[in-house]
Amino acid sequence: MQYAYKPSSRAISIPAWALVILFFIYALPGNFGHDPWRGDDVLYIDVAFEMLRNGDWLVPHIAGLPYFDWPPLTYWIAATLGGLLNWLMPVHDAIRLTTIISLGLAVWALRATTRKLVGVESGNAAFLLSIGSIGLLIHAHEAQPQITLMAAVACTFYGLATMHDDLNGNTEESARAHPIRGAIITGVSTGAAILTAGLVGAALTLPLWFVMPLAYPKHRQGTSARAYLLAFVIAALLAASWPIALAIFQPGALHQWWRQEITDIAPHAGNLANTEALTQLLAWFTWPLWPVAGWSLWRRRKQLRDPLCVLSLTGLVVAAWLVMTTGSLRAANVVPLLPPLILLAAAELPRLRRGAANAFDWFGIMSFCCIGLFLWLAWLAMHLGWPSPLARNIVRLAPDFVHTWSWWTVSIAIVISAGWIVALVRVPYFPLRGAVHMALGVTLAWALAIVLWQDWFDYDRNYRPIAREIAVQVREQHGGACLATLGAGDVQRAAFYYFQRLRVDPRSSAFKHCPMLIAYSSARNALPVPDANWQKTWSKERGRGRQSERFALYRRID
C-alpha cells in the first residue's frame, strides 16, 4: 500500500536560492580563518597534510607512522584541495573545504530523496532539519571523515530512491523509474562509503540494497535486476581499488588495515553498559530529530512498506546497532544516525498538528534567544567586566587570554543579532515555521559565537604556541631528534607534526633511542612520570577543569 502525499494547508514555497544562502551562512563561519583546533580537526588535517607533503597517497600517516582508523577517501579529497588551493588560503582552510563539500552533498541528497519519495515540502523540511540538527553543528565545522561518510550514505538513499522511482506516491515528482541512473548513483555512493569508512561504510549502505527487493518482489527481475548488477560492479570496483593497490605495493600495510577494521567492527557491550551516558548522548545529539521522527513513524505505522519507511528504518536500525555496540562513546560516532532520522522526521514535519508545531516553534525561538543573550552577556563580561560573576568564570577558564575587540566584529555581530530579530517578526505562520526558526537559530547563533568568540576559542584550542615552545626546547638541546612519549595521543602527535614537524613516537622502542620525551595529561588526570633515566627540562599547564592540559619535556640522562 502506497502512502498518498497530501500537501499541508497554508504551504509556503521556500525558494532554492534562500536555502543556498542559508547553507553558506551556516557552513562557512568556523571552517575558515583559524588554525586547526585540538581534537578531530587537527588530527585529520595533519593526516591529509602529511599525504600531501610526503607523497604517499596509499597509506595515511600521523607524524610519520601509519594511521588506519579511516580509509583514505576523505584524505585524498582533502589533500587534493590543499594542493590546489594552498596559493589562495592556508592549507588547513583548504583541507576543511572537504567538510563543506561533503556537507552540501549530504544536505542536497537528503532533500532530494525526501522530495522524491514524499513531496516538495518534506524535501525543504529535510534541508532545514539537517541545518538545525544540534549534533551536526560542531562536526560540520571541522575536518571530519564522518561528514564524508554521511554524504555517501545520503547519496545511497537518493540512488535507491531513484532506482525505485515508480514506487512512490508523490504526484509532484515524476513517477517514471530511472533504474540505470539510480544504479550509477547507488554504486558510486556505496563504493565511496566503503572507501571512507571500510566495513562500517559497507554496513551502513549494503543492507539498504537488500530491503527494497525484499519489500517489492517486482524489483527482483528485469531492468531492476540489471540495475542492481550494475550498481554492484561499480561499488565493488571502487571499494576494492585501494585494498588491491595496498596488496600490490604495500602488503604489510594491507594486513595492518584489515586487522584494524576487524577490531573496529567487532561488537562489544561497553557502550550499552554505560546506559546513562549513552542515553544522554543520543538525546541531545539527535535533537530535535528524534521526537519528530517518532511522531512521523506513528503517523505512518500502517504504511511501513512505504519506500521512505523501508529505507529510513533499515538505515536507522543498522546505524543504531553500530553506535551502541561498536567504537567508543563519543559524539562524532553518532553522526550515522542523522540521515535516516532526518528522512523520517522530514516526511511528516509539514503535517504536524498545530499545537505541536507551535510548541516546536516556541522551543526553538526561546532556546536561541537565550543562547544569543548569553553570548552577548559573556562577551560584555570578558571585555567590560560586567556581569562580574560571569567575568570571573571566564578569567578562571583562560587566565592568560588577552582579549581584544574591534568595531568591525561588533558591527557584524549586531547585524547577525538583528537578522534573528527580523526572522522572529517576519517569518509568517506556516507548517515549516518551527523548522525555519530552528535552522536560522542554529546558523545565526553559531555565526555570532564565531564572530564574538573565535579568538577565545583559538586561544583555548590551538596547539601552535605549545608546539612552538616544545620545538624550541627540543632543537636547542638535541637538534630536533625524535620524541618518545607518555600519554600523548594521536591528536597531540598530529598537532606537533603539523605545526613544528616534530615526530612524536608512541612505540615502546622509542624509549630506547629517542633522547627526549614528552609527557601529557588532560582534565584531572595526573601527569605520567618516566623512570629515573629522564630529567625534566620544561613544563606547561593551560586551561582549567575538564579542559585543562599539562605538558612536560624530559631529557635522557643515562
Side-chain angles (χ1 to χ4, degrees):
M1 177 178 177
Q2 294 180 358
Y3 188 88
Y5 170 72
K6 296 179 180 179
S8 61
S9 61
R10 301 184 63 183
I12 295 178
S13 176
I14 302 176
W17 61 263
L19 298 179
V20 172
I21 291 174
L22 178 62
F23 172 79
F24 282 110
I25 295 175
Y26 173 85
L28 295 181
N31 272 315
F32 292 99
H34 65 83
D35 279 335
W37 285 343
R38 73 180 180 188
D40 288 351
D41 194 40
V42 71
L43 174 65
Y44 299 126
I45 284 175
D46 178 70
V47 177
F49 171 74
E50 290 195 48
M51 186 173 285
L52 183 63
R53 187 172 189 267
N54 63 29
D56 186 351
W57 290 65
L58 273 182
V59 179
H61 288 82
I62 291 180
L65 297 178
Y67 177 75
F68 290 111
D69 272 22
W70 292 86
L73 180 60
T74 302
Y75 309 131
W76 286 345
I77 300 171
T80 300
L81 292 172
L84 291 176
L85 299 176
N86 61 2
W87 61 274
L88 182 63
M89 62 184 73
V91 67
H92 47 262
D93 284 350
I95 287 172
R96 284 197 206 97
L97 278 174
T98 306
T99 298
I100 297 177
I101 294 170
S102 298
L103 180 66
L105 188 59
V107 171
W108 171 84
L110 291 171
R111 177 176 180 263
T113 302
T114 316
R115 186 182 171 106
K116 183 178 289 293
L117 294 179
V118 184
V120 174
E121 262 192 303
S122 291
N124 291 336
F127 177 95
L128 296 170
L129 287 172
S130 300
I131 299 297
S133 174
I134 300 300
L136 186 61
L137 180 62
I138 297 299
H139 305 300
H141 297 90
E142 64 182 4
Q144 181 57 258
Q146 287 282 9
I147 304 300
T148 312
L149 177 61
M150 178 180 174
V153 172
C155 288
T156 302
F157 281 124
Y158 177 67
L160 288 167
T162 303
M163 287 175 67
H164 299 275
D165 227 354
D166 58 331
L167 294 177
N168 79 74
N170 174 18
T171 59
E172 299 186 31
E173 293 286 329
S174 170
R176 183 163 54 90
H178 301 280
I180 301 304
R181 187 175 71 185
I184 294 172
I185 297 172
T186 302
V188 170
S189 302
T190 300
I194 297 172
L195 276 178
T196 299
L199 294 179
V200 171
L204 288 171
T205 54
L206 290 178
L208 303 174
W209 290 39
F210 298 105
V211 293
M212 296 300 283
L214 288 175
Y216 303 100
K218 74 173 186 175
H219 284 272
R220 302 174 194 172
Q221 55 190 352
T223 305
S224 294
R226 290 192 293 272
Y228 270 99
L229 180 60
L230 174 61
F232 175 79
V233 170
I234 294 173
L237 289 175
L238 286 175
S241 60
W242 180 59
I244 290 173
L246 282 181
I248 295 172
F249 297 106
Q250 299 194 40
L254 176 63
H255 176 72
Q256 283 183 267
W257 167 72
W258 185 247
R259 185 171 55 189
Q260 181 73 42
E261 284 293 301
I262 297 300
T263 301
D264 290 344
I265 201 69
H268 61 79
N271 294 343
L272 291 172
N274 197 354
T275 307
E276 182 179 356
L278 177 63
T279 304
Q280 290 176 355
L281 175 60
L282 294 178
W284 75 258
F285 192 93
T286 59
W287 184 265
L289 301 175
W290 63 265
V292 184
W295 183 83
S296 176
L297 191 58
W298 173 256
R299 278 289 304 269
R300 289 172 170 256
R301 64 189 182 279
K302 295 181 180 179
Q303 291 86 23
L304 294 182
R305 289 191 64 225
D306 172 69
L308 183 133
C309 289
V310 170
L311 286 173
S312 56
L313 283 177
T314 303
L316 184 61
V317 168
V318 174
W321 171 259
L322 290 173
V323 168
M324 292 188 293
T325 64
T326 65
S328 58
L329 199 59
R330 58 191 299 263
N333 291 343
V334 188
V335 170
L337 281 173
L338 298 182
L341 278 175
I342 290 168
L343 291 182
L344 268 179
E348 292 295 330
L349 182 63
R351 284 160 290 282
L352 271 178
R353 293 178 180 175
R354 191 180 184 94
N358 287 337
F360 182 60
D361 188 20
W362 276 105
F363 179 85
I365 290 174
M366 296 306 296
S367 297
F368 292 107
C369 283
C370 292
I371 290 172
L373 181 62
F374 173 78
L375 290 172
W376 272 110
L377 281 176
W379 185 85
L380 291 172
M382 180 171 62
H383 292 282
L384 303 180
W386 180 88
S388 55
L390 190 54
R392 287 194 297 270
N393 283 330
I394 293 172
V395 171
R396 180 177 59 83
L397 290 173
D400 299 325
F401 176 66
V402 179
H403 52 81
T404 60
W405 63 279
S406 68
W407 285 109
W408 173 247
T409 57
V410 173
S411 299
I412 296 176
I414 291 173
V415 170
I416 292 170
S417 303
W420 173 242
I421 295 172
V422 170
L424 298 182
V425 176
R426 298 293 296 173
V427 176
Y429 176 79
F430 73 116
L432 293 185
R433 174 186 166 100
V436 169
H437 280 146
M438 180 65 69
L440 283 173
V442 169
T443 300
L444 296 180
W446 174 257
L448 183 63
I450 292 298
V451 169
L452 293 179
W453 288 90
Q454 179 162 297
D455 290 344
W456 193 83
F457 294 151
D458 197 57
Y459 170 83
D460 183 56
R461 303 181 66 83
N462 189 354
Y463 275 128
R464 186 184 293 275
I466 292 291
R468 185 186 302 118
E469 290 186 46
I470 293 174
V472 168
Q473 296 290 327
V474 170
R475 287 162 185 161
E476 283 182 354
Q477 298 182 49
H478 287 283
C482 70
L483 280 164
T485 182
L486 283 176
D490 291 335
V491 170
Q492 290 73 41
R493 294 174 53 236
F496 296 153
Y497 186 86
Y498 181 78
F499 288 120
Q500 292 293 330
R501 312 298 181 264
L502 291 175
R503 295 184 183 272
V504 178
D505 192 337
R507 297 173 297 183
S508 58
S509 59
F511 285 89
K512 300 177 181 179
H513 65 266
C514 288
M516 302 198 73
L517 178 146
I518 182 76
Y520 171 82
S521 69
S522 61
R524 294 179 175 85
N525 298 321
L527 189 69
V529 178
D531 57 36
N533 293 325
W534 300 88
Q535 179 184 24
K536 183 187 291 187
T537 61
W538 172 89
S539 63
K540 180 89 171 185
E541 181 176 355
R542 69 174 192 172
R544 294 292 184 273
R546 289 182 298 176
Q547 298 298 317
S548 65
E549 294 181 292
R550 286 163 292 280
F551 304 84
L553 193 63
Y554 292 84
R555 177 175 60 87
R556 187 187 298 276
I557 59 175
D558 54 341

